[in-house]
């Protein structure tokens, strides 16, 4: 008789980076929720720049932008179309909200306009802590198993050029942390491995996760980029080891686990 071996219980993790709501890419969001139905992640991460925040941006948006994209409607929209859907449809054990440089524009605006109080504080206005979301401050890390997550903006100050990104930012990320590091902010895909020459089992990897925002962002003024759309999924063993994947979404389609995922709704 053959012995039956029990399969280890996996922790499934799914993440979206750089939604920049309301300038998100609906196809990515649609596929994200389709995959969540199949894999039932117990950890969901929104990896920073979840909100666009242009109407309160420190670089001085136009009056037209302030009128057409009021920040309170952005809060209401991301709550209805993203946060509530995660809470009601997926119901993960851990919900992680990471703050990116776009969310820091809210802090900047509040510092310059203290009369607004909590009205431009997304954590308080959306009652994220009360709803069980873990809040990861800008430039800080969170961990699931042996994977560390960061928004991906390692600039010493936001006054530096956009993102402080370098050509080989995945290399920079893994060398900086000496950990398995997953991040966004650069709106593209890139990976690098760092292996200890004394022990091939001692290895770390850095992966940049493609963006969940539109690739023709208004502030680009039609300029060329190397940006990609996508999302992230990981399967973590009880000992913290894992297999994970940055999935590129192109023309509303990605493939994972032998299944084709195709955006259906086209909007959210």
């Amino acid at each position: 008789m053959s012995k039956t071996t029990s399969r280890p219980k996996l922790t499934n993790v799914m993440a979206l980076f750089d939604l920049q709501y309301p300038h998100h890419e609906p196809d990515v969001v649609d596929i994200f929720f389709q995959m969540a139905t199949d894999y039932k992640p117990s950890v969901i991460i929104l990896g920073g720049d979840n909100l666009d925040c242009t109407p309160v941006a420190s670089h001085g948006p136009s009056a037209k932008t302030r009128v057409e994209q009021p920040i309170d409607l952005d809060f209401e929209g991301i709550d209805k179309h993203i946060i509530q859907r995660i809470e009601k449809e997926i119901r993960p054990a851990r919900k992680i909200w990471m703050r990116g440089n776009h969310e820091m524009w809210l802090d900047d605006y509040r510092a310059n306009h203290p009369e607004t109080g909590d009205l431009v504080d997304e954590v308080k206005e959306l009652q994220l802590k009360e709803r069980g979301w873990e809040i990861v401050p800008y430039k800080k890390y969170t961990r699931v198993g042996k994977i560390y997550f960061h928004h991906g903006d390692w600039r010493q100050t936001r006054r530096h050029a956009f993102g402080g990104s370098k050509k080989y930012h995945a290399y920079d990320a893994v060398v900086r942390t000496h950990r398995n590091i997953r991040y966004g902010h650069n709106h593209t895909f890139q990976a690098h491995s760092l292996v200890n020459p004394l022990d091939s089992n001692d290895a770390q990897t850095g992966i940049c996760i493609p963006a969940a925002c539109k690739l023709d962002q208004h502030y680009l003024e039609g300029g060329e980029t190397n940006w990609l759309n996508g999302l992230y999924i990981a399967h973590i063993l009880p000992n913290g080891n894992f297999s994970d994947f940055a999935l590129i979404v192109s023309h509303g389609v990605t493939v994972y686990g032998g299944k084709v995922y195709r955006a259906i709704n086209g909007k959210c």
Side-chain angles (χ1 to χ4, degrees), residues 22-247:
H23 301 298
H24 59 295
E25 176 48 65
D27 288 351
V28 175
V29 174
D30 192 356
I31 290 172
F32 174 83
F33 282 104
Q34 288 184 45
M35 291 186 64
T37 298
D38 288 345
Y39 290 97
K40 299 174 175 55
S42 57
V43 181
I44 291 290
I45 299 172
L46 297 180
D49 288 2
N50 308 315
L51 287 151
D52 176 57
C53 299
T54 291
V56 297
S58 55
H59 52 65
S62 67
K64 185 173 184 288
T65 298
R66 294 185 188 276
V67 171
E68 294 182 349
Q69 190 186 330
I71 194 65
D72 58 332
L73 294 187
D74 291 358
F75 288 174
E76 292 176 14
I78 196 171
D79 189 17
K80 177 180 178 181
H81 297 300
I82 307 296
I83 299 173
Q84 289 185 33
R85 288 192 66 188
I86 289 171
E87 293 173 341
K88 295 176 181 178
E89 297 177 26
I90 303 176
R91 304 178 67 180
R94 288 184 69 187
K95 307 183 294 286
I96 300 171
W97 177 278
M98 304 185 74
R99 303 191 82 219
N101 49 292
H102 279 236
E103 281 79 26
M104 291 303 294
W105 291 342
L106 297 168
D107 292 6
D108 295 341
Y109 190 86
R110 193 165 60 254
N112 292 321
H113 302 274
E115 69 277 8
T116 60
D118 294 340
L119 294 177
V120 290
D121 183 329
E122 92 282 7
V123 173
K124 292 182 179 178
E125 192 68 14
L126 294 171
Q127 298 184 313
L128 294 177
K129 290 183 180 179
E130 293 82 352
R131 293 162 70 172
W133 286 80
E134 301 173 29
I135 309 301
V136 180
Y138 174 60
K139 293 190 177 181
K140 299 300 181 181
Y141 299 79
T142 192
R143 179 182 178 184
V144 185
K146 294 181 180 179
I147 310 174
Y148 288 78
F149 296 88
H150 188 274
H151 173 59
D153 184 357
W154 280 285
R155 288 174 294 174
Q156 291 182 336
T157 169
R158 288 179 290 128
R159 288 188 294 271
H160 287 178
F162 166 73
S165 302
K166 299 179 180 179
K167 183 176 182 180
Y168 301 114
H169 44 83
Y171 167 84
D172 292 333
V174 73
V175 168
R176 174 188 295 271
T177 61
H178 288 270
R179 296 291 186 275
N180 297 298
I181 182 74
R182 307 294 180 262
Y183 63 98
H185 184 65
N186 295 272
H187 298 194
T188 191
F189 170 77
Q190 196 175 111
H192 184 80
S193 59
L194 185 67
V195 180
N196 185 340
L198 301 178
D199 181 0
S200 61
N201 289 316
D202 180 14
Q204 289 85 39
T205 56
I207 299 178
C208 182
I209 312 304
C213 64
K214 290 186 177 298
L215 302 183
D216 56 348
Q217 288 292 318
H218 53 98
Y219 50 80
L220 295 173
E221 299 177 345
E224 297 177 354
T225 73
N226 67 342
W227 290 3
L228 292 169
N229 277 142
L231 64 153
Y232 173 84
I233 186 168
H235 308 289
I236 302 177
L237 292 160
N239 67 358
N241 291 343
F242 60 89
S243 289
D244 68 334
F245 306 88
L247 303 178

Side-chain angles (χ1 to χ4, degrees), residues 252-266:
V253 177
T254 195
V255 180
Y256 183 70
K259 179 176 179 177
V260 176
Y261 290 90
R262 190 181 306 274
I264 299 171
N265 298 326

